[in-house]
Every structure is written in C-alpha cells, then in structure tokens.
Amino acid sequence: MVETEKLIEVKDLKQYFNVGKPKEVRAVDGITFDIYKGETLGLVGESGCGKSTTGRTMIRLYNATDGEVLYKGENVHGKKSKTQLKQFNRKMQMIFQDPYASLNPRMKVSEIIAEGIDIHGLANSQKERMEKVYALLETVGLNREHATRFPHEFSGGQRQRIGIARALAVEPEFIIADEPISALDVSIQAQVVNLLRKLQKEKQLTFLFIAHDLSMVKYISDRIGVMYFGKLVELAPAEDLYRNPMHPYTKSLLSAIPLPDPDYERSRTRISYDADMHHYEENDEVVMREIAPGHFIYCSEEEFKQYKLEYKYN
C-alpha cells in the first residue's frame, strides 16, 4: 500500500433487484470496506456473488438501494449538478470484462480513445488531441498506426489495451477493473496484469480489481476481499489471506487453485463449503470482526472465538 489516505469508503452498501413480486435479488447485501490511495484491492468470489454489481454501483452505473459510497469524503450517489457529475466521471473510470462488447465497432481506435478527451475538453487543438491518443496507445503497448483501425482488426488482448487507454485518457485517480482478463487467453492475461501494475506505479493509480482467479488476484493486489452471495465474508492483506484463510468459504476457494505439480495435484483435497454449516441463532450478531490487524471475518461472536484460536495456532 502506497499511502494510508482513504480514497474510497463503502459503507453498508446494498444493491437489490426486483425480479418480479415477491422475489428480490440481494446482489450486494450490506458490505463495508475502504480503498486506500495508491493500492489495489482485489475483490473475488464465484460468478453471481455480487462483485461486479459492487463495482458498477460504486461508479454509479447502478443507483444504490441503500448505504453510501464516498469518494474523498463525498457521496458518489448524492445529488450532483451536470458539472459535478462530469468531474466525478473523470476521476473514476472502469475497464470492462468483455473487450469485444465494450468497444464501438463503428468507431476507429482514435475516436474511441479521444471520446473522453473531447467530452472533458482536455485538448486545445486537433493536433494536441491526436498527440494524446498516440501517447496513450504507446503507453499501453500499441503504436500510432493502430489509431486508424477498427476494433475488429485487433486480438482480444489488444482490444483490452485499447479499453485501458480509453480509461486513462481522462487522467483518472481510481479505476475499477471488472474481470479485465477473464475473456483473454492465459498467455495474454499476465501481459495485461503486468501492464496495469506498471501503469499504477507510473501514474499513482488506485485500483479495485474484480476477478475470480485467485492466483492472479494475489499477484496484483495489496489486500483482498472475498464475497459470497452479496456478503463480504473475509478481508485481509493478500499474503495473510493466502497464508491464514479463516472463513470456510475462503478456504474452499483456495483449495480449488490448481498448481503445476502432478504430485500435489494427485493428493490435493478440495474443501467444500455450505452456508448452512454456520448454524446462526436468531439473536446472533453476524458482522465483520477483526481477528488480526487488517484481517476481518464475517462471523458471530461464538465463531469469532473459534477463529481467534485457529489463527493463533496456525
């Protein structure tokens, strides 16, 4: 973590969707966490756990059902004028999961990247505009000749680089990377992650990195939050989470990570998780509790005592 200044504060965030009475999907169900300036917070969990919905709600693509998202102390979902919204949209950007669907097929790469530059008036002339586009292409590992091409002329990895260049065009402070590598070949994934790490150092960026690949999340993240059915069940520094996973669901996820070791794979035991194993009583207060500095677990008071013993002797 580069600094200890809170850039983002998520407080009891809820995002519910009505899918026909009386059904209600609690995609995000009262989660709380902070993101510090200069860090990468990884958010992991299985498909449908609410991690992408969390990111989209944080950036106002969805209106929050309840709770708050604060950016530098200001409520993201508060009432804003057009000017304030424009400034907010410039400071928070998103890299989307699907590099094929997130780029307009009818626009040239130069137009895609320059769209934000034009909206925010970041270039004083056509020449300056194109110089910014060329510089951004080179920043993400492409070249100026690519500016005149259309998205269909690129590979998946190249399209994701164009998406990253588009996000960087407005000089943001905070970027939500919503599973930016899941649609890419394994050989390309490491290139994109290394690019994001390089950009973070060069431009002092802060990331929320959403993914389901735990091995890749460990590589890029300072801290990791684990989500299960709309709840944040564990939050810890990356090394601590992998060394001392406490919540049974986290253990289940980690047990599923394959290693390039035939002997290990033959003896690997997959840990299964069932939410019914917790046996909460009606009067149990199930909340996030700090088991070690910076290491939080969603649990009851009784479970907390057990987790503390387990953590102590690990």
Side-chain angles (χ1 to χ4, degrees), residues 60 74-89 120:
R60 278 185 69 128
E74 184 183 348
N75 190 355
V76 165
H77 292 275
K79 211 169 184 181
K80 287 179 169 56
S81 65
K82 282 186 179 179
T83 304
Q84 289 172 322
L85 256 180
K86 201 171 172 182
Q87 289 170 345
F88 164 76
N89 290 337
H120 294 279

Side-chain angles (χ1 to χ4, degrees), residues 6-138:
K6 287 181 186 177
L7 188 70
I8 304 287
E9 297 172 72
V10 176
K11 298 182 177 181
D12 197 27
L13 184 66
K14 296 175 183 176
Q15 182 62 67
Y16 299 167
F17 297 106
N18 290 316
V19 292
K21 293 179 181 179
K23 291 183 179 178
E24 182 180 62
V25 174
R26 299 189 172 192
V28 181
D29 195 14
I31 65 172
T32 297
F33 60 89
D34 301 321
I35 302 177
Y36 295 91
K37 190 174 173 68
E39 81 163 334
T40 296
L41 177 69
L43 196 59
V44 301
E46 61 194 86
S47 296
C49 72
K51 55 190 187 297
S52 290
T53 303
T54 298
R56 287 167 180 259
T57 305
M58 286 171 65
I59 205 168
R60 278 185 69 128
L61 289 179
Y62 299 144
N63 289 319
T65 302
D66 201 1
E68 288 183 316
V69 179
L70 303 180
Y71 171 73
K72 290 187 170 179
E74 184 183 348
N75 190 355
V76 165
H77 292 275
K79 211 169 184 181
K80 287 179 169 56
S81 65
K82 282 186 179 179
T83 304
Q84 289 172 322
L85 256 180
K86 201 171 172 182
Q87 289 170 345
F88 164 76
N89 290 337
R90 182 181 169 187
K91 292 303 177 186
M92 291 178 74
Q93 285 288 303
M94 195 162 195
I95 300 167
F96 294 93
Q97 177 179 357
D98 189 346
Y100 298 90
S102 61
L103 304 179
N104 189 330
R106 292 188 175 88
M107 292 173 73
K108 291 181 181 177
V109 167
S110 61
E111 296 168 330
I112 290 169
I113 295 173
E115 196 170 17
I117 295 172
D118 296 340
I119 290 169
H120 294 279
L122 301 179
N124 296 316
S125 65
Q126 182 66 16
K127 183 183 177 185
E128 185 183 351
R129 176 181 183 266
M130 287 309 299
E131 285 304 321
K132 282 181 179 285
V133 169
Y134 295 148
L136 285 161
L137 283 169
E138 287 169 7

